Amino acid sequence: MSKENKKIKLYKKKSNDKNTNYKWIMLITLWTFLISGSIGFISNFLLSGVGIFFAFFILITIIIIGIIFDIIGVAVTAADEVPFHSLASRKVTGAKTAVKLIRNADKVSNFCNDVIGDICGVLSGAAGGIIISKLMSSGYFKNQTLLALVISAIIASLTVGGKALGKNFAMTQSNNIVYNTAWIIEKIKVKRK
């Protein structure tokens, strides 16, 4: 072993229990339960009464929502806060919110990637199950196992492929994505007032 290799030592960031925000963890766990339960109930109710093509449309929409939120979550963690300070000083719409998003990147990323991403994953699986049952009951397919494998593979490949493509886009366009997201959030806040 060379002398050079012995001296390399990587240090981890110092952390203490005060940095762990248990209130955030409990809140996000509760919100995930409520959101996923509500959306799951609504989507199952809506999907049970629609045709096969509309069910596929809803499935693709759920997958796209998951990809979009994954892009936002990655962009927030990769974005640079500095350019937004100058925009905020000029009172550009969205700049202050962009700074808040970047400063809370761990929470924003957790919400976008984990909460919304996992909810979309569960919902796309449920939508796939409903599509399978509709295709079986309509007599298009005889082999339920093969059909389930094909639908599951399509859902997984679209989700993973879309997120892989989205991550590259999020890394290269992080500041633009964060700014556009912050701009939309501020516009929604103004309309609510």
Side-chain angles (χ1 to χ4, degrees):
M1 192 179 245
S2 72
K3 187 178 178 183
E4 217 174 271
N5 287 340
K6 285 184 179 180
K7 290 189 177 189
I8 296 174
K9 213 173 197 181
L10 301 175
Y11 295 95
K12 64 180 183 178
K13 288 184 178 180
K14 291 182 181 178
S15 177
N16 56 28
D17 288 338
K18 292 179 184 176
N19 290 339
T20 305
N21 191 341
Y22 293 108
K23 183 178 176 184
W24 165 254
I25 294 168
M26 295 302 295
L27 182 67
I28 202 67
T29 303
L30 177 66
W31 273 107
T32 303
F33 178 80
L34 294 173
I35 292 170
S36 63
S38 303
I39 293 175
F41 175 77
I42 292 167
S43 66
N44 283 336
F45 177 74
L46 291 175
L47 284 170
S48 63
V50 300
I52 293 170
F53 294 110
F54 193 67
F56 269 110
F57 173 76
I58 291 173
L59 173 63
I60 298 298
T61 303
I62 291 168
I63 291 170
I64 290 171
I65 289 169
I67 292 168
I68 289 170
F69 274 88
D70 192 70
I71 289 170
I72 294 168
V74 171
V76 167
T77 59
D80 184 18
E81 184 180 329
V82 175
F84 294 108
H85 289 293
S86 119
L87 294 173
S89 69
R90 290 184 275 149
K91 301 201 184 313
V92 174
T93 303
K96 275 187 173 180
T97 302
V99 171
K100 287 179 187 174
L101 289 174
I102 294 168
R103 286 187 178 169
N104 293 294
D106 59 335
K107 293 176 182 176
V108 175
S109 177
N110 176 242
F111 178 78
C112 292
N113 296 81
D114 300 330
V115 176
I116 301 299
D118 290 351
I119 289 171
C120 288
V122 169
L123 291 178
S124 63
I130 291 171
I131 289 170
I132 291 166
S133 68
K134 286 184 177 294
L135 288 171
M136 291 300 294
S137 66
S138 63
Y140 288 122
F141 295 93
K142 302 288 182 204
N143 189 335
Q144 183 176 358
T145 305
L146 180 63
L147 180 62
L149 286 172
V150 169
I151 297 292
S152 298
I154 289 170
I155 292 169
S157 62
L158 288 175
T159 302
V160 171
K163 286 185 177 186
L165 187 65
K167 279 184 183 16
N168 182 45
F169 176 69
M171 295 297 287
T172 58
Q173 296 293 320
S174 57
N175 285 353
N176 291 327
I177 293 167
V178 170
Y179 173 71
N180 288 322
T181 302
W183 186 87
I184 291 168
I185 291 170
E186 283 195 16
K187 288 296 183 181
I188 291 170
K189 282 182 181 177
V190 169
K191 284 186 178 182
R192 293 177 101 194
K193 288 181 181 179

